[in-house]
Every structure is written in C-alpha cells, then in structure tokens.
Amino acid sequence: MAAKQNNISINSIKDESRRYKSTWGQRAWFACGCATLLISIAKSTLLIIAASPVGPLTWVELTLAALIGYVAADLGSGIFHWAIDNYGGAETPIFGSQIESFRAHHQHPADIIKCDTAGVLYVVSAATAFAVLPFNVLSGDAVLLVLVGSFAGFVMFSLKFHAWAHTPRRRLPRVVAALQDAGVILPWSNHVKHHRPPFDGYFCTVSGVWNRVLDEYKFFSAAEAVVLRVTGVRPRSWSEPGSDWSQVSD
Ligand SMILES: [Zn+2]
Ligand SMILES: [Zn+2]
C-alpha cells in the first residue's frame, strides 16, 4: 500500500516537471528567434565595418537606434500584454495559448519560474523570426537593422524579464539582480502592481519605465473605450476581476 502511494507521488512529480518542460518544437522556435536576432547583429556589424571609418554622427545614430528600440519595446510589451489579458480566449488563432497562459499566470504567478526559457518565449520567438527576417534580408541600413533588432530583441526577452521579476532574489544570477536594481530590466517592486487590484495597469515588462506614465494618463482605459466603441467588445478587466485575475497560489 505504502509502495503504491510512493509510486503515485513519484509519477505525479514526474508529470508536474514534464508540464513545465519545453518541447523540442518550442525549443526550435526559440532557436529561430535567437538566430534571427544574431543575424541582425552580424549584418549591422558587417555593414559598419564595410562603411568604416564611420563618422561620430553615425555612432550617435546607432546608439540612439538601440536606445529607441529598447524604450519602445517596453511600451510594445505593455500593449501586447494588455491586449492578451483583456481580449480573446483559448480559441483565438495564434495567440490562444498565450491568452490562456497569461490568465493562468494571474492565478498562479509563481508557475512562470518553473517553466524553462524556451517554453515561455517560443510564441514571441516565432513572431520575432517572421517579423525581423524580412529586414535582415532586404535592408542594407545598419541603423535600421539596429533599431528593429533592439526593439524585437527586448520584446522577445520581455517574458524572461517578467519571469525574473517573479523569481526570489536569492535565486537570481547576480547580474540580473543588479540590472533589476538599476531599473534596466523589470524589478518586482514595479511589476507587483500588475498583480494587485484593480488589475488594470502596469502591463509593461521590459524595464517597466512606461508603467507609471501610462497609469497616470489612463492610457489603457482610453484604449479600452476606443476598442469598445469600434468593436463593441468589453475588456476582461471590467467584468472578471474577481475570478480570472486574482491570485489563488504563490
Ligand atoms: Zn497580466
Ligand atoms: Zn507577472
């Protein structure tokens, strides 16, 4: 009897760890996303070398392109997260699994740190590959490649920054904790406000730098009013704050 119970608990632990392990398909999509970003970096580097010596103005343009991509990615991550949290469902094409994952995340926030990186990032990695590849193939402009690569790269890894914001500090690599402290990537002190009532803000997950501004100017409330007027669809946060959004486990 005791042996049977032990077997059942070992099997349930195995099932649990399998649930959070990425599949080979998910790892392949993650690899495609990473490869696309690496091609952007390699091509822009080769273009700069081919054009050298480049003047100080070009270096300013390249630095600004990287910074604009980083700041815009925080805003982009917030708009994506807001849309996923508020509209569609499991049956929505392409994004259905993401919508379900984000809904589950509000109820079981700590589960995100049990998943491996490819399992968390594979959908956005696939989107990155499809969106960035045409620029890699067609563009010969290093500044444009840096801008697109920076934006796409930070959006792609925003879900990893989100997972790190939920990770206990003692389990974070030192460099990650330092980047969070410096506000370069999303700290828990910023993201925690997304998991508290009224569950209608703090969606940005790259650095979170936009969160306060968007909240103060009620950007997402205005966007929800526009969506309602144009499509007649109400955001989920208006009707389901008690069930879908509240945390039920650590
Ligand atoms: Zn959310
Ligand atoms: Zn979260």
Side-chain angles (χ1 to χ4, degrees), residues 29-222:
W29 279 120
F30 177 55
C32 285
C34 290
T36 311
L37 294 174
L38 287 172
I39 291 168
S40 277
I41 294 169
K43 187 166 179 183
S44 51
T45 306
L46 288 173
L47 286 166
I48 293 164
I49 291 169
S52 62
V54 291
L57 190 62
T58 306
W59 288 114
V60 170
E61 285 176 350
L62 289 165
T63 308
L64 273 177
L67 279 174
I68 291 169
Y70 164 67
V71 174
D74 191 49
L75 180 61
S77 73
I79 292 170
F80 174 74
H81 185 169
W82 161 78
I84 290 279
D85 273 5
N86 281 289
Y87 302 100
E91 70 292 342
T92 301
I94 301 170
F95 296 105
S97 67
Q98 289 278 287
I99 292 166
E100 280 304 291
S101 302
F102 273 67
R103 288 176 70 163
H105 173 63
H106 298 128
Q107 296 178 324
H108 309 281
D111 282 5
I112 194 172
I113 61 178
K114 296 177 189 167
C115 299
D116 57 30
T117 303
V120 175
L121 266 60
Y122 77 98
V123 172
V124 77
S125 298
T128 299
F130 284 114
V132 177
L133 211 54
F135 288 94
N136 285 348
V137 173
L138 300 172
S139 176
D141 183 340
V143 175
L144 180 64
L145 286 171
V146 167
L147 177 68
V148 171
S150 168
F151 177 80
F154 281 111
V155 166
M156 184 172 135
F157 280 94
S158 66
L159 290 175
K160 187 64 189 174
F161 301 159
H162 181 186
W164 277 332
H166 281 277
T167 306
R169 196 174 169 85
R170 67 181 184 284
R171 288 176 52 191
L172 285 173
R174 263 192 211 171
V175 63
V176 171
L179 289 171
Q180 286 183 345
D181 290 345
V184 175
I185 61 172
L186 184 72
W188 171 240
S189 56
N190 183 306
H191 182 59
V192 67
K193 291 169 188 162
H194 178 67
H195 287 276
R196 286 181 181 157
F199 307 107
D200 63 354
Y202 281 73
F203 293 99
C204 301
T205 55
V206 173
S207 63
V209 72
W210 281 95
N211 281 329
R212 224 173 115 183
V213 182
L214 297 177
D215 227 37
E216 256 177 44
Y217 288 94
K218 308 219 174 297
F219 174 83
F220 289 114
S221 302

Side-chain angles (χ1 to χ4, degrees), residues 222-241:
E224 285 159 7
V226 170
V227 172
L228 179 64
R229 178 166 286 212
V230 174
T231 67
V233 178
R234 291 165 62 86
R236 222 177 343 263
S237 62
W238 290 5
S239 53
E240 302 176 13

